[in-house]
Amino acid sequence: MSTAKGTALQLTQQPEIVTWPETHYVYLEKIGPFQDTAPQAWQEVHKLIPAISEHNKITGYTSLYKVGPKIYRAGVSVEAEPQNLPAGLRYTKFKGGKYSRFVLTGPYSNLRFPSGLRSKNPTAR
């Protein structure tokens, strides 16, 4: 995938089978085009990190996107079932198991959206 700067982003073509542990996931959900929802969701999540961290140990950052219904989730995994979450956040627990993983690598700053918006998520890969 080429970008405006000419540096190619690489997406793995073959999935890697990984064993994912049980995960407690706290997230914001947005519905709409990726280029609109991803930046908005991460900006909101980053503002809530101090409040989430006050009562929960954050163990990772994860985004999920369903292409067909255009559902974007930006959130964090926490060590245990979350306590005292800020309003607007949702929680789900992923059962552990084997999953397929595809990886997009390259400079995150090279992702370009038609509207000119770009997520400011420093943890994205």
Side-chain angles (χ1 to χ4, degrees):
M1 174 185 319
S2 292
T3 65
K5 292 183 180 179
T7 303
L9 296 171
Q10 299 295 318
L11 176 64
T12 54
Q13 297 297 309
Q14 296 296 318
E16 174 187 359
I17 305 302
V18 295
T19 302
W20 196 272
E22 178 179 271
T23 303
H24 299 278
Y25 185 53
V26 175
Y27 63 94
L28 280 173
E29 183 173 280
K30 300 282 185 185
I31 298 173
F34 176 87
Q35 65 269 17
D36 297 331
T37 57
Q40 291 171 356
W42 280 113
Q43 287 170 5
E44 290 180 34
V45 166
H46 281 294
K47 289 178 185 175
L48 296 172
I49 293 298
I52 297 168
S53 298
E54 188 174 334
H55 300 282
N56 306 280
K57 181 178 180 186
I58 294 175
T59 58
Y61 290 74
T62 302
S63 63
L64 302 170
Y65 185 66
K66 289 185 181 182
V67 177
K70 296 183 180 179
I71 298 172
Y72 188 87
R73 292 180 176 176
V76 295
S77 54
V78 293
E79 190 172 62
E81 187 170 340
Q83 304 297 315
N84 303 318
L85 291 175
L89 289 175
R90 297 181 182 186
Y91 163 71
T92 192
K93 181 169 76 172
F94 294 121
K95 187 175 166 182
K98 292 186 185 272
Y99 294 89
S100 296
R101 175 171 54 191
F102 293 87
V103 179
L104 178 67
T105 57
Y108 190 76
S109 60
N110 284 350
L111 287 177
R112 298 286 182 246
F113 302 110
S115 65
L117 295 175
R118 192 174 83 213
S119 174
K120 295 181 180 173
N121 176 14
T123 61
R125 293 179 153 156

